[in-house]
Amino acid sequence: MQRTSELRVWIEGTIVAAIAMVLSFIPTNIGSSFSISLGMIPVTLFALRRGAKAGFFSAFIWGLLHFPTAQVYYLMPVQVIIEYILAFGFAGFAGVYSGKLQQAIKNKEYMKSSRIIIYASFFGTLMRYFWHFIAGVVFWGSFALWGMNPWLFSFVMNGLSGIATAIATSVVLLLLLKINPTLFIPTNMSRMSQQDNGVE
């Protein structure tokens, strides 16, 4: 039964990753350095539903899906690992708020649930864009526009993209919370690695 439950979570996470990849094809780019990552919406929802470990898995698969869909910007192997393995995988750590959110929803604490969703959306986005920021400095610095300092350019462009992504994710998830809060609570409460959930 436990293995069946875990397999269900893995399958669900893979489907969520595929949905995130499809959303990635929706054009939200402005220039070559700013974009809103719509795939963060289903990944963050899944992480809050299933926890950080499952969230990391789903986000990791989302990153891998960039390879067969030819969505990888390649400079060197280390850069690819940072931007498509580490960065995407770390987005799943929004799930550390899973336990607190589900408890708040069960207690019908709407305002607290809303705050937790916002925290989780920004935290998962921060975890991901931190790695994009590092890659922007180390690998893309020579491409900085207007002769800007690579640190400043990467901070500004990744910061703007990250903030816009976190806001978009928060807004959609808050709407889903209002429409159907049970989306954040798995039907089988035996979540993977419950110790990964909850931030003091």
Side-chain angles (χ1 to χ4, degrees), residues 12-82:
E12 184 181 330
T14 303
I15 294 172
V16 167
I19 293 172
M21 192 67 237
V22 171
L23 290 176
S24 297
F25 286 100
I26 298 175
T28 59
N29 295 54
I30 299 177
S32 60
S33 302
F34 173 85
S35 66
I36 299 175
S37 182
L38 299 179
M40 285 293 293
I41 298 169
V43 165
T44 303
L45 171 60
F46 177 73
L48 288 171
R49 176 180 167 87
R50 291 294 188 178
K53 185 175 180 179
F56 181 89
F57 165 77
S58 183
F60 172 77
I61 296 298
W62 176 26
L64 291 182
L65 287 175
H66 284 71
F67 292 87
T69 55
Q71 297 299 306
V72 175
Y73 293 93
Y74 177 88
L75 286 180
M76 59 184 65
V78 175
Q79 169 259 330
V80 171
I81 291 172
I82 289 175

Side-chain angles (χ1 to χ4, degrees), residues 101-109 113 185 189 191:
L101 175 62
Q102 291 174 18
Q103 190 60 52
I105 291 174
K106 290 177 185 176
N107 294 339
K108 301 186 184 302
E109 299 173 303
S113 300
I185 301 177
M189 288 305 297
R191 296 189 311 277

Side-chain angles (χ1 to χ4, degrees), residues 65-152:
L65 287 175
H66 284 71
F67 292 87
T69 55
Q71 297 299 306
V72 175
Y73 293 93
Y74 177 88
L75 286 180
M76 59 184 65
V78 175
Q79 169 259 330
V80 171
I81 291 172
I82 289 175
E83 291 206 271
Y84 297 96
I85 304 299
L86 287 178
F88 281 90
F90 269 62
F93 282 115
V96 298
Y97 287 91
S98 175
K100 288 186 177 295
L101 175 62
Q102 291 174 18
Q103 190 60 52
I105 291 174
K106 290 177 185 176
N107 294 339
K108 301 186 184 302
E109 299 173 303
Y110 178 75
M111 292 303 298
K112 182 177 180 180
S113 300
S114 299
R115 289 196 301 271
I116 293 172
I117 285 176
I118 294 172
Y119 296 155
S121 297
F122 274 83
F123 181 69
T125 303
L126 173 65
M127 294 293 283
R128 173 186 165 186
Y129 277 87
F130 167 78
W131 292 105
H132 289 310
F133 164 72
I134 295 299
V137 173
V138 176
F139 303 107
W140 300 100
S142 60
F143 298 94
L145 300 178
W146 313 300
M148 288 180 63
N149 178 282
W151 288 89
L152 178 61

Side-chain angles (χ1 to χ4, degrees), residues 155-167:
F155 179 79
V156 170
M157 300 312 295
N158 283 298
L160 290 175
S161 295
I163 290 173
T165 295
I167 291 173

